[in-house]
Amino acid sequence: MTRTRMTASERGEQVLSAAISAFAESGYAATKTDEIARRAGVSQPYVIRLFGTKQQLFLAVSERACDRIEEVFRTSAEAADPGADAAGKLMAMGEGYEVFLSEPELPLILLHSFSASADPAIGDQIRDRYGRMYRLVRELTGASIAQARQFMATGMLLTVMGAMRVTGPHAVPADWAQELMQDLETNGI
């Protein structure tokens, strides 16, 4: 059997994928680069050679999650009725949260990034990215500050609920979560 060697870029993606999974599961502080290397099938020194430090690898993971969130926002906004007002566009973007709930690493990485913000480099990056997401919501929808705040607040509620696994494809039933989800479906994000 002939084995095809991976390119450095492919190997980097493999390590990044393993890091997303590991950091989503254990967070920044508890995740060891040895564990990421094991999951990726490479040596720990190779992980460091690719990304420099655990912090730089976590920053790359956080960037990837934020990029994906922004991609979903853009795709959802584009799917809105062309004549929709800000509320209609926000509603279309809110439907994009189904993607977040089907990709459980996204809310977990976002929450772990927030909790690791005491580290100046991580805090600077995640504050910048969250601000960019907020501005993107306003730009894509024409939403007022109050509308964007409500959208972001509801999004954080869904992020936390997804992280707790009380909503989404693998939800553990919880009456209060079902009540909140029904309200969101009735009244929109």
Side-chain angles (χ1 to χ4, degrees):
M1 179 162 114
T2 305
R3 205 179 236 188
T4 305
R5 287 183 56 91
M6 289 182 149
T7 66
S9 176
E10 291 168 332
R11 188 67 76 178
E13 284 299 316
Q14 182 179 0
V15 170
L16 194 57
S17 179
I20 289 169
S21 174
F23 284 128
E25 186 177 302
S26 303
Y28 176 62
T31 301
K32 306 291 182 224
T33 54
D34 289 342
E35 173 61 16
I36 294 167
R38 186 190 63 72
R39 289 180 186 216
V42 299
S43 69
Q44 188 271 348
Y46 189 75
V47 171
I48 298 305
R49 190 172 334 128
L50 285 174
F51 290 94
T53 65
K54 179 174 119 172
Q55 179 193 63
Q56 290 170 315
L57 178 55
F58 186 77
L59 289 169
V61 164
S62 181
E63 279 292 311
R64 178 66 61 92
C66 291
D67 287 346
R68 179 70 178 125
I69 292 166
E70 289 179 8
E71 175 188 335
V72 170
F73 281 172
R74 282 187 181 89
T75 301
S76 299
E78 289 170 4
D81 182 332
D85 63 1
K89 291 176 185 175
L90 287 169
M91 183 72 77
M93 284 179 62
E95 292 172 13
Y97 270 90
E98 290 299 320
V99 173
F100 301 145
L101 299 176
S102 70
E103 297 178 22
E105 292 90 1
L106 285 174
L108 292 171
I109 292 297
L110 193 61
L111 292 174
H112 285 306
S113 296
F114 295 152
S115 69
S117 289
D119 178 307
I122 295 169
D124 288 348
Q125 180 197 36
I126 197 63
R127 284 186 290 275
D128 177 65
R129 288 308 300 258
Y130 195 78
R132 283 172 47 187
M133 285 186 267
Y134 164 77
R135 288 188 297 277
L136 182 64
V137 167
R138 294 209 55 215
E139 174 188 315
L140 292 173
T141 64
S144 69
I145 294 170
Q147 287 173 310
R149 176 186 38 80
Q150 181 64 42
F151 179 83
M152 299 296 281
T154 302
M156 285 310 305
L157 171 65
L158 289 171
T159 297
V160 170
M161 289 173 68
M164 289 189 294
R165 303 249 195 293
V166 295
T167 190
H170 305 292
V172 176
D175 292 345
W176 63 269
Q178 291 173 348
E179 186 176 284
L180 284 170
M181 291 305 292
Q182 286 172 346
D183 180 67
L184 288 171
E185 288 172 12
T186 302
N187 300 308
I189 289 187

